[in-house]
Amino acid sequence: VGLLFTSRTPPPEPLEPFPLGALSPEDSTALLQEQAGGELPAEASAWIFQRARGNPLFGLEYFRHLSRLGYLWSDGRRWRWREPEGKTMPTSVEALIVQLTRGQSLAPVAEAAPMARALLPSSSSPQLWAQAAGLELRELTQAEEELERQGLLAEGEFVHPLFAEVVRREMPPQERQAIARRAIEALSIPDPEGAAAFVEAAGLDAAQALTLLERAAHSAQHRGQGRQGAEFLAQATRYARGEARAALAFRAAWQLQGFDPNRAAALSEVALQTDPHHLEARFLLAELLSRLGRGEEAERLLHDLPPEQRPAQRWLEALLYARISRYDFAGALEGWQPDPA
């Protein structure tokens, strides 16, 4: 005689647990197609698997959710698919996760442990997790063991990524801010780039945010990660004003132009709007607009500069580039006249 049953939590001794793994992509697709009664578009099956991660209950709930919303439908001959915009989650799945996460009882001192786990990167050390949660390592170990017994964590991670997503969504703002500030305190010296990820959640004042983001940018550039450094500078523009904001936006645009010309152009425009006398931002924006096939806009930008403020050779080169970029060769030849204005 044997007794077989399922449970989210480890069974008591002497029962022996056999963990049930996630479905493979192939098994997940087979389950969904059995539910649909026909073949699903491969893109739909892959999208559902990416969100459900092989959890059969979550997979079926996503199938029903997407069908109700009209993202996955049958025209009577075959199933059709259009990808949802942004994130979407079945209310049944969210309600289940909220019930599971809220229904667990932890000692008050350890209640921040799952919230800190949800906010921190998966690679975070136990020391950082403890400090962000405001716990001693011993207290964190006890909280982690309890969360694993309750079926929320396994080996220090949430048993499913959607658990972390729901915990982040349901987190009280004051708790989010406190955890983020403790994480910054722990990381600001050894890892300013890691600390910068918590700037927004921490609600730092402008001066603190600027200092941290510029340090993160310097750290990234020192490691040869120019694009990441530029992104930190771009983020810093939200906290700066006046000439300082223009300077940050221009630096970010200059470093991003080889990676993302559209974003570099947008940042150059921010610099120029903030400081209309920023000559370097104007010429960089004109060059980027020309490269992006927007030569007419580039030429208008150059003509907006009063004649007495135009560096003659540089202005002429920018004008010629703008005209050539849109195949206006006659205009480019005309530009060689003594007074191109």
Side-chain angles (χ1 to χ4, degrees), residues 223-297:
R223 294 189 304 107
Q225 300 298 315
R227 181 169 191 168
Q228 183 58 61
E231 292 292 351
F232 286 129
L233 293 175
Q235 187 180 353
T237 62
R238 305 176 197 170
Y239 302 95
R241 296 291 181 270
E243 291 184 1
R245 183 170 188 256
L248 284 168
F250 174 73
R251 287 170 57 197
W254 184 264
Q255 293 173 26
L256 274 174
Q257 60 180 311
F259 300 106
D260 188 343
N262 283 291
R263 183 151 166 74
L267 286 162
S268 298
E269 192 167 4
V270 168
L272 193 58
Q273 289 175 345
T274 307
D275 180 5
H277 301 293
H278 199 306
L279 199 61
E280 296 299 324
R282 184 179 297 274
F283 280 113
L284 177 59
L285 178 55
E287 178 184 339
L288 289 165
L289 291 173
S290 298
R291 286 167 53 187
L292 292 167
R294 297 159 62 186
E296 290 186 6
E297 293 177 59

Side-chain angles (χ1 to χ4, degrees), residues 32 44 47-53 55-69 71-72 81 84 87-94 97 160 162 165-166 169:
L32 294 172
W47 192 95
I48 293 174
F49 182 81
Q50 194 276 331
R51 296 291 288 160
R53 300 291 180 92
N55 182 302
L57 172 61
F58 291 175
L60 291 173
E61 289 299 319
Y62 264 106
F63 171 80
R64 299 182 185 110
H65 176 68
L66 294 168
S67 299
R68 283 194 299 268
L69 295 181
Y71 294 112
L72 187 59
W81 161 254
K87 290 185 177 182
T88 182
M89 183 185 301
T91 53
S92 54
V93 171
E94 184 170 5
I97 294 174
H160 195 283
L162 291 180
E165 186 175 317
V166 171
R169 187 182 303 171

Side-chain angles (χ1 to χ4, degrees), residues 318-333:
L319 178 68
L320 294 176
Y321 184 44
R323 290 180 175 176
I324 291 172
S325 72
R326 66 176 197 272
Y327 304 104
D328 181 9
F329 302 115
L333 288 173

Side-chain angles (χ1 to χ4, degrees), residues 23 58 90 133 145 204 222 248 252 256 259 293 305 312 317 325:
L23 297 179
F58 291 175
E145 290 173 351
L204 300 181
H222 183 72
L248 284 168
L256 274 174
F259 300 106
L305 191 63
E317 290 173 354
S325 72

Side-chain angles (χ1 to χ4, degrees), residues 29 32-34 36-42 45 72 77-80:
T29 297
L32 294 172
Q33 293 187 160
E34 181 180 352
E39 186 175 353
L40 294 177
S45 298
L72 187 59
R77 292 179 299 175
R78 61 177 179 170
W79 284 88
R80 299 183 179 274

